[in-house]
Amino acid sequence: MTEKDSSELTPFEIFFQKIEKFSKLHMKDRDRVQEILQSMQKAGSKTLQVISDFDMTLTRFEYNGKRCPTCHNILERSDVISSDCKKKLQGLLDKYYPIEIDTTLSVEEKLPLMVEWWTKAHELLVNQKIKKDGLAKAVRDSDAKLRDGYKDFFDHLHEHSIPLLIFSAGIGDILEEVIRQSDIFHPNVKGVLKAFKGELIHIYNKREGALLNTGHFQELRTQTNVLLLGDSLGDLNMADGVQDMENILKIGFLNDKVEERKQSYLDSYDIVLIKDESLDVPNAVIRFLT
Ligand code: C5P
Ligand code: MG
């Protein structure tokens, strides 16, 4: 087949060529991705909602060669908690994070261990009796960083009144503080983010978390097209509560253990972004759809 002259390309082809040029972008089935995108575009931006994980999806995994903190890490590394508590939390991280990303264990095998991690960390943090202004300070002092292009992402969704659900197993109060301090906590942002109160959400029970939030999804019943962003295979269940879903485009960030996990990410996410610290691809998709 001869290549088309760029003047003959449709807007869709121009857009798709552009995203395919991202060297960090991988797809198992590009025809399927094209189909989903075209169908979503046809349906129009009024039918779109975005569901995103927070830690290591909206926030960066690395900056200048150094790991960036999760919501939990922001607290763990801050001076609002005692050094004894810090040590214990670090011990938990060293024990359980390798399990989270272990490719030789099934979700069923990991599940009880993840509950154990979240519960133990939670107990330690609650005992520290942290005050609201302590949380704000912890965030201000931290190295937390939203991915490059975050402002465009949040502002554009807001301008086009597209609902954004942040579905996090992190610490809700910290998450809110991060987005508030970055000036992007717009009214279209909602969260399923329980930590110090309510149900325990860990990375592998997002399905249950989604199904508990029927009210939210009921309100959005005309938004039947979903853009889902995540960094863990557990994030794939975040849209399980969406009613009458027509299309879903799943974009996954693969940040760590790339070689071991690449195939499973390609099998589960429509688009996989490998070691990409930006929101450029989600932003290009959103711009195309709005
Ligand atoms: O927002 P998200 O669902 O990604 O939050 C979960 C993340 O929090 C996981 O990537 C996990 O590694 C991290 N975590 C942590 N410390 C804990 C519990 C979870 O850093 N005590
Ligand atoms: Mg995450």
Side-chain angles (χ1 to χ4, degrees):
M1 204 176 75
T2 49
E3 244 182 56
K4 274 194 197 173
D5 188 303
S6 64
S7 62
E8 294 171 43
L9 295 175
T10 65
F12 178 76
E13 288 168 330
I14 294 170
F15 154 74
F16 205 76
Q17 279 195 353
K18 185 177 140 200
I19 65 162
E20 275 196 302
K21 285 210 182 100
F22 283 97
S23 59
K24 293 165 182 168
L25 181 144
H26 301 258
M27 289 177 277
K28 190 168 110 175
D29 188 347
R30 85 186 265 283
D31 292 347
R32 176 84 194 112
V33 173
Q34 290 202 352
E35 244 170 60
I36 300 171
L37 280 164
Q38 284 178 306
S39 177
M40 284 170 81
Q41 196 214 14
K42 220 186 250 161
S45 64
K46 284 198 172 61
T47 67
L48 180 65
Q49 60 170 304
V50 180
I51 303 181
S52 180
D53 167 58
F54 189 70
D55 288 314
M56 310 295 119
T57 295
L58 292 181
T59 57
R60 293 181 67 118
F61 181 76
E62 263 181 16
Y63 185 66
N64 284 342
K66 253 183 71 193
R67 279 292 299 272
C68 292
T70 62
C71 289
H72 282 90
N73 304 153
I74 290 175
L75 263 190
E76 285 160 21
R77 295 173 194 173
S78 77
D79 49 17
V80 300
I81 58 170
S82 71
S83 59
D84 177 53
C85 181
K86 265 185 200 162
K87 240 183 254 146
K88 288 186 178 143
L89 288 165
Q90 185 62 45
L92 293 179
L93 183 69
D94 295 343
K95 173 172 174 191
Y96 292 104
Y97 178 66
I99 300 174
E100 176 186 334
I101 60 165
D102 191 329
T103 46
T104 66
L105 295 172
S106 69
V107 169
E108 288 71 32
E109 288 169 304
K110 290 181 191 186
L111 219 143
L113 299 161
M114 293 298 102
V115 175
E116 214 174 273
W117 181 14
W118 258 255
T119 310
K120 284 182 183 167
H122 188 241
E123 272 167 21
L124 285 168
L125 290 170
V126 167
N127 284 336
Q128 295 290 301
K129 307 217 179 332
I130 304 152
K131 298 208 181 66
K132 189 94 187 148
D133 55 349
L135 293 177
K137 182 176 180 323
V139 172
R140 261 196 310 276
D141 296 346
S142 77
D143 296 324
K145 282 210 166 34
L146 290 158
R147 284 187 192 270
D148 290 356
Y150 75 88
K151 196 148 172 51
D152 190 32
F153 177 82
F154 280 87
D155 289 351
H156 193 82
L157 291 177
H158 177 225
E159 269 162 41
H160 292 262
S161 307
I162 293 162
L164 165 62
L165 177 72
I166 302 181
F167 200 145
S168 173
I171 300 170
D173 313 70
I174 294 278
L175 185 165
E176 280 188 19
E177 207 44 55
V178 173
I179 59 176
R180 188 171 296 124
Q181 289 183 19
S182 306
D183 278 335
I184 42 159
F185 198 175
H186 302 313
N188 63 320
V189 180
K190 298 274 173 332
V192 175
L193 23 99
K194 310 230 171 71
F196 289 132
K197 44 187 188 275
E199 306 293 325
L200 180 76
I201 294 181
H202 51 82
I203 53 164
Y204 292 119
N205 75 345
K206 290 197 172 180
R207 178 178 161 75
E208 289 73 11
L211 299 178
L212 280 172
N213 280 273
T214 45
H216 170 80
F217 291 115
Q218 176 70 21
E219 260 177 51
L220 298 187
R221 63 192 174 282
T222 54
Q223 272 95 348
T224 50
N225 289 297
V226 179
L227 173 65
L228 180 144
L229 309 176
D231 80 292
S232 138
L233 297 181
D235 295 330
L236 291 158
N237 295 110
M238 294 186 300
D240 287 2
V242 175
Q243 300 187 4
D244 306 321
M245 185 145 61
E246 282 183 79
N247 297 288
I248 178 163
L249 183 77
K250 294 175 251 175
I251 302 184
F253 288 92
L254 177 52
N255 304 309
D256 204 3
K257 287 239 176 182
V258 171
E259 281 319 309
E260 295 92 316
R261 301 198 292 171
K262 189 171 168 187
Q263 195 54 49
S264 60
Y265 274 61
L266 283 169
D267 291 340
S268 328
Y269 280 103
D270 302 303
I271 293 178
V272 179
L273 298 170
I274 296 185
K275 289 198 172 287
D276 180 6
E277 295 292 351
S278 82
L279 286 169
D280 292 349
V281 171
N283 282 342
V285 168
I286 291 166
R287 282 196 180 268
F288 174 69
L289 295 176
T290 53

